[in-house]
Amino acid sequence: MRRLRLEQTRRSEVRRRPARALAAVAALALAVSGCVTVHGEREVVPGATPDEAAAALAGFVAAFNRADQANDPKLDADRVTGPFGAINQAGLRAKAVTRPDGNPDHRPLVLRDARYLLPRKAGWPRWFVADTDAGRDDGTARAGDRWLVVFVRGGPDASWKAAHLAIVGKDALPALAEEGGDPVAVPADATGLAVAPGKLSAAYAAYLKDGSAGPFAAGAHTDQWRAKRARTAQRPGLATQFIDQAAVDGDFAPLALATKDGGALVFFASRHFERQTAAAGYRPKVGADLKALMKGEVKNTVTKEWVSSQAVLVKPAGTDRDAVAFAGRLQGVVGVRGS
């Protein structure tokens, strides 16, 4: 009897093995094809809940104020990233050298009246925009401006970090498209726009280089900036060269929300270099904040690296003129080299 049972068990195992093998092959095929949902990474969900977004904003503001008051970049390093993080950290590193005892001009940053734009997205990274009013411009001509803080999160174990900051006029924001009550994220390679979000950084760098006819509307950050550069390129005893580069990797990647008119609100980054060369016997002047970031020794040349964060309104594909208009731009020096 025992032998019979043993034989039956062996035969049943043999019969089950093909089924198990088929199940394993099917699971492997699903995994390779990317159709398996692991911890919700493939589920299309809002980038954050309203409570998570509020906590991220509060944590950022608290860390920013501590760092700004102490002139200590370590105090908010885990709350910033991308172009805004590069600008913020470089500025604090410079101040830590020039004002090591702290910031006597510190004014606490207050961001109120927050509206959270939480686009739905599958996978990581996830992101959202906090549309806020800042107390710093109360009583000024800029009162009522909106401070748009773009937060990104690289994975389920990562924290929310501020990657972009755009300060725009209170009437500058267009009506956003919605799907199920949530704003709609636009992919970097979207074809329905005059310029795809993923191509904006390179297009902007190319425009600043040669000024050729392109999609950018006239204004302070386009033709007027080029004209200002031209005026300062050649001065007695000092020549200045400008180099512009796209910045699209990692947390510098563009992020976009669809607008009701078929266009998009896009946040993107870029890098800009300014190289000043003095005539023989002279040296370019370098201020204290720049010296604090400097590598090398200034003999007759100094090169400044800037990071710039832009918020632009992009019109639908087929728009012939003024297809990309700037809503706001923030830039800061992130590196200096002497030679």
Side-chain angles (χ1 to χ4, degrees):
M1 183 67 70
R2 290 179 180 175
R3 181 176 296 177
L4 177 59
R5 288 177 179 172
L6 181 59
E7 288 296 325
Q8 289 175 337
T9 300
R10 287 174 177 169
R11 288 172 183 171
S12 64
E13 284 294 325
V14 171
R15 286 195 297 269
R16 283 198 294 267
R17 282 172 189 165
R20 290 176 180 172
L22 287 173
V25 170
L28 177 60
L30 286 171
V32 171
S33 68
C35 296
V36 174
T37 299
V38 181
H39 303 302
E41 278 87 347
R42 292 192 59 80
E43 184 180 1
V44 179
V45 296
T49 67
D51 287 345
E52 289 172 338
L57 179 64
F60 160 71
V61 170
F64 178 91
N65 281 326
R66 288 194 298 268
D68 185 66
Q69 185 172 23
N71 283 339
D72 187 347
K74 296 190 298 295
L75 297 181
D76 71 346
D78 62 345
R79 294 285 184 169
V80 296
T81 188
F84 177 72
I87 295 168
N88 168 268
Q89 291 292 285
L92 288 171
R93 287 199 307 272
K95 291 178 182 178
V97 174
T98 60
R99 291 183 170 184
D101 296 328
N103 181 4
D105 302 320
H106 170 71
R107 291 177 56 199
L109 175 65
V110 177
L111 297 180
R112 62 203 176 199
D113 187 32
R115 177 177 66 132
Y116 300 107
L117 308 176
L118 310 170
R120 290 178 174 269
K121 188 179 182 297
W124 303 93
R126 292 177 181 169
W127 62 283
F128 72 88
V129 180
D131 172 12
T132 70
D133 177 43
R136 286 190 172 185
D137 55 17
D138 287 350
T140 72
R142 301 300 300 268
D145 281 2
R146 304 300 293 181
W147 287 42
L148 308 181
V149 188
V150 184
F151 288 88
V152 299
R153 185 182 179 195
D157 298 324
S159 60
W160 287 104
K161 298 181 180 182
H164 292 269
L165 170 62
I167 302 174
V168 304
K170 59 182 178 181
D171 299 321
L173 284 181
L176 297 176
E178 292 186 353
E179 190 173 279
D182 297 312
V184 179
V186 178
D189 59 354
T191 58
L193 298 174
V195 182
K199 295 182 178 180
L200 272 171
S201 188
Y204 188 43
Y207 167 80
L208 290 173
K209 177 182 178 180
D210 56 30
S212 59
F216 297 99
H221 309 299
T222 52
D223 62 319
Q224 293 177 26
W225 192 18
R226 292 196 76 255
K228 182 178 179 180
R229 284 180 166 190
R231 290 194 300 269
T232 60
Q234 293 293 335
R235 290 181 174 177
L238 186 67
T240 304
Q241 298 171 291
F242 301 96
I243 299 174
D244 306 287
Q245 295 179 352
V248 296
D249 295 330
D251 289 343
F252 282 71
L255 300 168
L257 293 172
T259 55
K260 283 187 176 180
D261 62 1
L265 168 64
V266 184
F267 302 90
F268 75 95
S270 54
R271 293 185 184 274
H272 310 277
F273 298 84
E274 179 181 311
R275 180 183 176 90
Q276 294 180 322
T277 303
Y282 295 90
R283 290 185 181 182
K285 294 181 179 179
V286 180
D289 286 340
L290 295 180
K291 283 183 179 179
L293 297 174
M294 182 175 292
K295 294 181 179 180
E297 179 184 355
V298 177
K299 297 177 181 178
N300 72 328
T301 300
V302 61
T303 302
K304 290 176 279 188
E305 178 185 358
W306 303 73
V307 163
S308 181
S309 173
Q310 289 79 217
V312 297
L313 301 176
V314 182
K315 293 183 179 180
T319 304
D320 294 329
R321 297 185 59 186
D322 299 341
V324 180
F326 279 75
R329 189 171 74 88
L330 176 72
Q331 73 169 24
V333 176
V334 299
V336 183
R337 180 170 293 278
S339 59

